[in-house]
């Protein structure tokens, strides 16, 4: 029964990891680089919410309405003023710039907030749970987070496959030159991708801050988990990313069940095993870039 | 303008050494000689500081081989740094004097990096960068669980305590100097070889290199192994000078930040760049270390700014066409032509 519990909790956690990955794979699809500051933006969003609640009060839930649009705007300007320039400066530049940005954000947060653990406390919602059987309890917050995460991912997949901006994103991911030749404005598409990426990672950051806790440097782990979910699931569709997130989440919770200190290690090992035996990922789509 | 070729007498000579590089080699030899005898003249604290500087310099040299010449950005070279530190600790616990453990630990890391490269090379570009980071995290998590090596709390290196701090500091300094010189020499030799040429051609255009018959994977692997071995040298030096290890600091991703900063600022893909970068970094660190996170904030900001506005780094900007190269890494053709007839 403990194992069922571990698997269920892992699935709930994995939905959240998938939400972190969506933006990473979207940006990679359009621009062919991984934003190494991706995780740090989720932590930045969490601190923004923390500050807002401290000053304006109320439940942290309302901060979604403020922080998520803010993150999208930050994403737009980040792309416009920094990443576009880095893309033009050579193949390795976007990696180096975003790594520098990551160090900058982490140390600035450390300077501003100290190295403590912080958390967004939601009152009773933080600990209430539904009883399924005598040994299986589902935390309400965990279930809500999972449902919202999966809904967001599904919505984004629908957006990509059914709407005009989504088609432009996919076209650019498939073949940026051909897309530009047929009239797509590549700068606008890139800014859109980064805005969506930062908005989704901000939602993920707030959820994670509500579920557990965050520190100025926890963005590194968020990035690594997001990356592992993408690779485990396989590039190609957001469903693959969702599956990768779920597998990673289950690996971590089952690992901690075996030995409490080994959860993260178990996740890494599953990732390395996928890398060794199925490097294209579990659900890799043929010829698809997004 | 004539479409006919004018008969031209050319006088081509291929040179490797230039006046610049001969002078620089001379100065380099003098500097190395001074550094060797330096412990006789300056105090212990300066020697220890120089040892610290050496460890950063070695890291910069190691990272530059991989990223600057091989075009592979890794943020996981701290894996080899940590493993080398722990290998020295392990050997010293089993009766090998730490200074003798140093070369064994370095060689061990070099060998270990071969199987790891097979895993890491499944990923390319951005994914390679984070993949190497995950591998380093795995090393960290595994080492932190080995109780005989101190577990998560770390351990201290005790076998050098029987020497006076002065002697221990001086010997460690010489070990560090030796690692620096060997690293520089091995990078120079690699770059002068066919493999070095192949490596740079892969960095510039992998497809074209492969089409001309370069064995891409093998060449990249050689660069990866050399880089890992050099970074292991820094790990060895860090434990020998700090006399303690702790998993979270030995395997810290901050070392990757340092490496990237030094190489970027100095000039990626230049031989001299890492040296310039290490000097800048060391000065910055001495100056700002007391101010806590501020120095990392500046480090990050400078890394972003240099990538965007000074992509060649300090050395690459001083010497954009690699003409003033102080180290004879390439052949140069000097032509003195006399046109006998024609326009």
């Amino acid at each position: 029964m403990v194992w069922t519990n571990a698997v269920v909790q892992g699935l709930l956690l994995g939905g959240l990891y998938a939400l972190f990955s969506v933006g990473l794979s979207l940006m990679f699809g359009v621009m062919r680089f991984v934003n190494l500051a991706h995780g740090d933006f989720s932590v930045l969003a969490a601190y923004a919410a923390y500050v807002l609640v401290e000053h304006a009060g109320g439940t942290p839930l309302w901060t979604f309405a403020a922080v998520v649009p803010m993150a999208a705007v930050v994403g737009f300007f980040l792309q416009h003023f920094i990443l576009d320039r880095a893309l033009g400066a050579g193949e390795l530049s976007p990696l180096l710039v975003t790594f520098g940005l990551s160090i900058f954000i982490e140390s600035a947060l450390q300077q501003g907030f100290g190295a403590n653990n912080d958390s967004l406390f939601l009152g009773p919602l933080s600990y209430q749970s539904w009883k399924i059987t005598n040994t299986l309890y589902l935390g309400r917050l965990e279930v809500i987070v999972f449902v919202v995460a999966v809904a967001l991912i599904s919505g984004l997949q629908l957006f990509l496959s059914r709407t005009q901006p989504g088609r432009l994103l996919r076209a650019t991911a498939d073949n940026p030159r051909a897309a530009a030749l047929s009239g797509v404005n590549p700068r606008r598409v890139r800014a859109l991708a980064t805005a969506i990426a930062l908005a989704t990672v901000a939602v993920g950051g707030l959820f994670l801050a509500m579920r557990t806790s965050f520190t100025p440097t926890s963005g590194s782990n968020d990035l690594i988990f997001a990356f592992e979910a993408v690779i485990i699931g396989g590039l190609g569709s957001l469903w693959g990313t969702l599956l990768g997130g779920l597998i990673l989440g289950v690996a971590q919770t089952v690992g901690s069940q075996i030995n409490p200190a080994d959860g993260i290690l178990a996740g890494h090992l599953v990732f390395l095993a996928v890398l060794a035996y199925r490097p294209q990922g579990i659900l890799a789509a043929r010829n698809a870039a997004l | 303008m004539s479409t006919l070729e004018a008969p031209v007498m050319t006088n081509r000579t291929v040179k490797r050494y230039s006046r610049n590089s001969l002078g620089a080699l001379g100065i380099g030899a003098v500097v190395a000689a001074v550094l060797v005898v330096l412990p006789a003249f300056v105090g212990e604290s300066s020697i220890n500081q120089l040892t610290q500087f050496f460890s950063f310099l070695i890291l910069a040299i190691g990272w530059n081989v991989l990223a600057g010449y091989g075009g592979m950005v890794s943020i996981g070279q701290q894996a080899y740094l940590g493993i080398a530190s722990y290998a020295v600790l392990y050997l010293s616990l089993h009766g090998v004097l730490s200074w003798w453990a140093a070369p064994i630990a370095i060689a061990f890391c070099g060998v270990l990096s071969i199987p790891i490269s097979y895993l890491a090379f499944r990923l390319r570009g951005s994914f390679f960068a984070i993949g190497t980071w995950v591998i380093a995290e795995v090393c960290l998590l595994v080492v932190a669980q080995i109780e005989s090596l101190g577990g998560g709390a770390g351990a201290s290196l005790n076998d050098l305590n029987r020497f006076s701090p002065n002697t221990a500091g001086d010997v460690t300094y010489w070990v560090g100097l030796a690692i620096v010189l060997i690293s520089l020499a091995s990078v120079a030799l690699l770059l002068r070889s066919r493999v070095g040429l192949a490596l740079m051609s892969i960095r510039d255009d992998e497809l074209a290199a492969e089409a001309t018959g370069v064995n891409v994977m093998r060449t990249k692997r050689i660069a990866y192994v050399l880089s890992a071995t050099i970074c292991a040298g820094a790990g060895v030096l860090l434990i020998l000078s700090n006399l303690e290890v702790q998993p979270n600091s030995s395997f810290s991703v901050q070392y990757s930040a340092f490496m990237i900063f030094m190489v970027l600022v100095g000039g990626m893909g230049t031989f001299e760049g890492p040296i310039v970068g290490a000097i800048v970094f060391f000065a910055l660190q001495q100056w700002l270390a007391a101010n806590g996170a501020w120095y990392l904030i500046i480090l990050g900001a400078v890394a972003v700014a240099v990538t965007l506005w000074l992509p060649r780094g300090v050395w690459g900007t001083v010497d954009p066409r690699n003409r003033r190269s102080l180290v004879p890494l390439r052949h140069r053709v000097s032509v003195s032509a006399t046109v006998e007839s024609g326009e």
Side-chain angles (χ1 to χ4, degrees), chain B:
Chain B
M1 289 286 280
S2 157
T3 49
L4 293 171
E5 268 185 49
V8 177
M9 287 281 293
T10 51
N11 212 350
R12 292 199 183 86
T13 44
V14 176
K15 288 201 288 192
R16 176 162 255 167
Y17 292 87
S18 67
R19 197 185 291 167
N20 260 339
S21 65
L22 284 174
L25 278 182
I27 294 172
V30 173
V31 170
V34 169
L35 286 174
V36 169
V37 296
L38 202 61
F41 303 104
V42 302
E44 203 48 37
S45 70
S46 317
I47 289 300
N48 291 341
Q49 273 198 322
L50 271 174
T51 309
Q52 285 284 323
F53 169 72
F54 287 160
S55 55
F56 289 123
L57 176 58
I58 297 164
L59 283 176
I61 297 168
W63 199 78
N64 188 40
V65 172
L66 198 62
Y69 291 110
M72 292 174 276
V73 171
S74 159
I75 28 183
Q77 294 305 88
Q78 66 270 19
Y80 300 107
L81 193 148
I83 290 172
S85 291
Y86 271 92
V88 169
L89 177 70
Y90 177 85
L91 289 167
S92 83
L93 291 175
H94 289 78
V96 182
L97 184 62
S98 294
W99 292 315
W100 294 120
I104 306 174
I106 294 172
F108 173 69
C109 281
V111 173
L112 184 72
S113 71
I114 298 171
I116 291 180
S117 77
Y118 280 90
L119 207 52
F121 282 9
R122 295 238 164 179
L123 300 165
R124 303 165 54 86
S126 296
F127 288 171
F128 174 81
I130 314 188
T132 54
W133 190 0
V134 174
I135 293 172
E137 289 290 306
V138 169
C139 295
L140 160 66
L141 292 169
V142 170
V143 166
Q145 294 192 359
I146 304 175
E147 289 304 328
S148 64
L149 295 178
S156 47
L157 190 69
N158 295 322
D159 71 337
L160 298 181
N161 291 349
R162 55 190 145 111
F163 302 94
S164 79
N166 266 326
T167 317
D170 288 354
V171 175
T172 297
Y173 166 87
W174 280 316
V175 170
L177 183 60
I179 299 174
V180 168
L181 294 176
I182 295 171
S183 305
L184 284 173
S186 52
V187 172
L189 287 176
L190 175 82
L191 294 177
R192 286 170 62 147
S193 71
R194 278 179 78 88
V195 176
L197 211 55
L199 187 64
M200 286 182 268
S201 73
I202 294 170
R203 173 197 61 189
D204 294 338
D205 190 333
E206 184 163 336
L207 207 61
E210 195 160 14
T212 47
V214 169
N215 187 336
V216 171
M217 287 322 262
R218 182 175 152 265
T219 310
K220 280 184 160 182
R221 190 159 286 127
I222 291 172
Y224 184 80
V225 170
L226 180 63
S227 169
T229 313
I230 294 176
C231 290
V236 162
L237 199 53
L238 280 168
I239 186 178
L240 288 179
S241 55
N242 297 337
L243 301 178
E244 58 180 9
V245 277
Q246 204 263 320
N248 280 323
S249 69
S250 289
F251 289 94
S252 166
V253 72
Q254 258 181 28
Y255 286 112
S256 275
F258 298 163
M259 289 184 239
I260 292 177
F261 175 86
M262 289 186 280
V263 175
L264 272 180
V265 168
M268 214 154 104
T270 64
F271 189 84
E272 298 82 355
I275 305 174
V276 176
I279 294 171
V280 172
F281 173 73
F282 197 66
L284 191 72
Q285 204 199 28
Q286 300 294 316
W287 178 42
L288 288 170
N291 296 324
W294 273 109
Y295 113 86
L296 282 168
I297 297 176
I298 294 176
L299 210 75
V302 172
V304 172
V306 167
T307 315
L308 293 180
W309 288 288
L310 198 71
R312 290 162 178 279
V314 172
W315 189 263
T317 308
V318 172
D319 180 24
R321 296 247 176 118
N322 205 8
R323 287 206 174 127
R324 253 165 275 182
S325 178
L326 298 182
V327 183
L329 297 174
R330 298 183 176 188
H331 295 283
R332 260 158 247 281
V333 183
S334 53
V335 185
S336 48
T338 28
V339 181
E340 293 207 322
S341 67
E343 276 89 343

Side-chain angles (χ1 to χ4, degrees), chain A residues 28 32-34 36 82 85-86 89 92-93 95-97 99-101 103-104 107-108 111 220 223-224 227-228 231 235 261-262 264-265 268-269 271-272 275-276 279, chain B residues 63 67 71 73 75 119 122-123 125-127 129-131 133-135 137-138 141-142 145 253 256-257 260 264 268 291 293-294 296-297 300-301 303-304 307-309:
Chain A
F28 181 81
R32 289 290 178 271
F33 78 91
V34 171
L36 295 179
I82 296 182
R85 185 180 272 275
L92 304 179
S93 300
L95 267 184
L96 301 173
V97 163
F99 190 62
L101 209 57
I103 299 161
F104 179 83
S107 10
Q111 188 68 30
S220 297
L223 168 73
I224 289 183
F227 162 73
E228 287 177 335
I231 298 288
L235 281 171
D262 280 348
I264 292 176
L265 181 61
H268 290 335
L269 293 179
F271 158 76
L272 291 180
L275 202 58
Chain B
W63 199 78
V73 171
I75 28 183
L119 207 52
R122 295 238 164 179
L123 300 165
S126 296
F127 288 171
I130 314 188
W133 190 0
V134 174
I135 293 172
E137 289 290 306
V138 169
L141 292 169
V142 170
Q145 294 192 359
V253 72
S256 275
I260 292 177
L264 272 180
M268 214 154 104
N291 296 324
W294 273 109
L296 282 168
I297 297 176
V304 172
T307 315
L308 293 180
W309 288 288

